[in-house]
Amino acid sequence: MAQILDGKTLSAQIRSDLKDRLNKQLERGLALPFLTVMQVGDDLPSTVYVRAKQRACEEIGIGFRHYKLPAETSMEQLGEAVRDVNNDSTVHGLLVQSPLPPHLDEIEVQRLVSPLKDVDCFHPENVGLLYIGRPRFQPCTAAGIIEMLLAYNIETSGKNVVIIGRSVIVGRPLAIIMMLKGRGGNATVTVCHSRTKNLSDIAKQADILIPAVGIAELVKADWVKEGAVVIDVGINRIPDSSKKSGYRLVGDVAFKEVEPKVSAIAPVPGGVGPMTVAILVANVMRAAGLKVQD
Ligand code: NAD
């Protein structure tokens, strides 16, 4: 039986620690950290993610605004809204929820967010700082995975890590962190993607396999080495008439058949997702000048 890497419990512990740190530092007169999340349109999964972020902030005592804009918002209007928040000194963190409607250029929008408030770590300046090993903010999902590995004492140094997915949000920053020197790093990293040939053979070489693709149950038991660690990042909705919502969430890993073969696995839901939110909160506190680690 594999060890289940319980991101839900771990995230709750991290958030509780952050809350204690926040209260102690507020006593010393520091400003209340504040996060604004901008959402253009009303994509349902995005709304669910924004709510999770809101709950986490409110639970800790961080200010939060869900800044909604209509789907037909132009690039100019969005730019103006971003600039307003950039110039508002009471807001410390700003993120623009993806996906944006297709007429808006996500990369251009990310460039407009002040790098000092870019708690998602998407601004080119922050990506550059990450690349040279001097990050200002941690990319939330990647850092959540690293914190999870560290918390469960899973060694990364010298290990073969295979990441499936090369997105700017997950695969690429994770590959950088895991190949750098330092905590959760020093790994030999292979990044696979939609054009990779013999994907299952490469996956099978992994000591630590991290699929971040968005294809339900893509990774089967015969893709995985006996005793490997599997961190499932994918979040996929599949129809399920037994659920009130009409769907259930599954990862990129066929959990039932993979779990008996591996030494540890982060499930979906309850694995990486909650860790992402904990890192976001830490980043907002950092942006407000608070200390989040000893
Ligand atoms: P994305 O669509 O931007 O990237 C997907 C990546 O998968 C691409 O690099 C693509 O090359 C690769 N890919 C696509 N089809 C493939 C195939 N058949 N074989 C191999 N590689 C393939 O997605 P993303 O934003 O990186 O998200 C990936 C998944 O992770 C989604 O399910 C998303 O919901 C989830 N996610 C979870 C969290 C979290 O906190 N748990 C955070 C972000 C994303």
Side-chain angles (χ1 to χ4, degrees):
M1 277 259 291
Q3 178 173 38
I4 301 299
L5 306 177
D6 179 357
K8 200 172 165 196
T9 303
L10 197 53
S11 170
Q13 286 163 357
I14 295 171
R15 287 181 277 124
S16 160
D17 174 60
L18 290 172
K19 185 174 182 173
D20 290 346
R21 286 171 188 273
L22 176 67
N23 289 335
K24 283 192 190 118
Q25 293 176 82
L26 288 181
E27 279 166 18
R28 299 209 300 268
L30 281 164
L32 184 73
F34 196 102
L35 172 66
T36 292
V37 177
M38 254 178 212
Q39 184 183 7
V40 185
D42 49 13
D43 175 62
L44 183 62
S46 290
T47 305
V48 174
Y49 295 138
V50 176
R51 280 206 202 108
K53 290 167 189 175
Q54 179 162 10
R55 270 199 305 276
C57 286
E58 288 175 353
E59 166 206 77
I60 289 179
I62 287 177
F64 185 92
R65 179 181 178 196
H66 184 178
Y67 189 151
K68 291 184 195 166
L69 293 152
E72 57 278 9
T73 301
S74 68
M75 194 66 194
E76 290 69 28
Q77 289 165 324
L78 181 56
E80 209 166 294
V82 167
R83 269 187 292 277
D84 281 348
V85 179
N86 284 345
N87 293 331
D88 181 346
S89 61
T90 64
V91 179
H92 306 93
L94 166 61
L95 63 86
V96 182
Q97 189 66 39
S98 66
L100 290 172
H103 67 280
L104 298 170
D105 180 339
E106 296 213 5
I107 302 230
E108 275 313 305
V109 173
Q110 284 153 11
R111 290 176 71 141
L112 298 176
V113 172
S114 161
L116 300 175
K117 299 189 179 187
D118 167 40
V119 284
D120 257 341
C121 193
F122 288 161
H123 190 282
E125 182 178 313
N126 290 326
V127 174
L129 288 169
L130 178 73
Y131 184 87
I132 60 167
R134 300 274 171 85
R136 176 185 280 135
F137 295 116
Q138 303 287 340
C140 299
T141 303
I145 292 168
I146 301 296
E147 289 305 322
M148 176 180 260
L149 293 170
L150 291 171
Y152 281 95
N153 293 316
I154 295 169
E155 183 60 77
T156 55
S157 180
K159 295 293 163 72
N160 269 339
V161 172
V162 175
I163 298 168
I164 313 180
R166 58 179 163 186
S167 74
V168 173
I169 297 180
V170 189
R172 254 183 276 178
L174 182 61
I176 289 170
I177 296 174
M178 296 197 81
M179 77 171 84
L180 282 172
K181 288 182 183 165
R183 293 167 82 232
N186 291 316
T188 305
V189 182
T190 305
V191 181
C192 301
H193 46 78
S194 52
R195 304 290 177 95
T196 298
K197 295 203 167 85
N198 306 322
L199 181 57
S200 59
D201 292 342
I202 299 170
K204 211 165 178 173
Q205 304 297 315
D207 301 313
I208 303 175
L209 178 63
I210 312 180
V213 179
I215 299 181
E217 302 184 332
L218 172 75
V219 175
K220 312 289 186 217
D222 62 355
W223 289 40
V224 177
K225 180 167 77 176
E226 197 86 40
V229 172
V230 176
I231 307 290
D232 192 354
V233 185
I235 302 174
N236 309 290
R237 288 164 179 241
I238 58 169
D240 185 341
S241 54
S242 71
K243 301 274 176 198
K244 210 172 121 194
S245 59
Y247 69 85
R248 70 190 158 92
L249 296 182
V250 299
D252 288 349
V253 176
F255 184 89
K256 269 196 190 147
E257 59 178 88
V258 168
E259 185 268 339
K261 214 177 157 184
V262 298
S263 60
I265 184 163
V268 176
V272 174
M275 297 300 293
T276 300
V277 178
I279 303 294
L280 172 67
V281 172
N283 279 348
V284 179
M285 287 173 59
R286 258 193 210 105
L290 276 74
K291 218 171 156 224
V292 295
Q293 262 175 344
D294 293 326

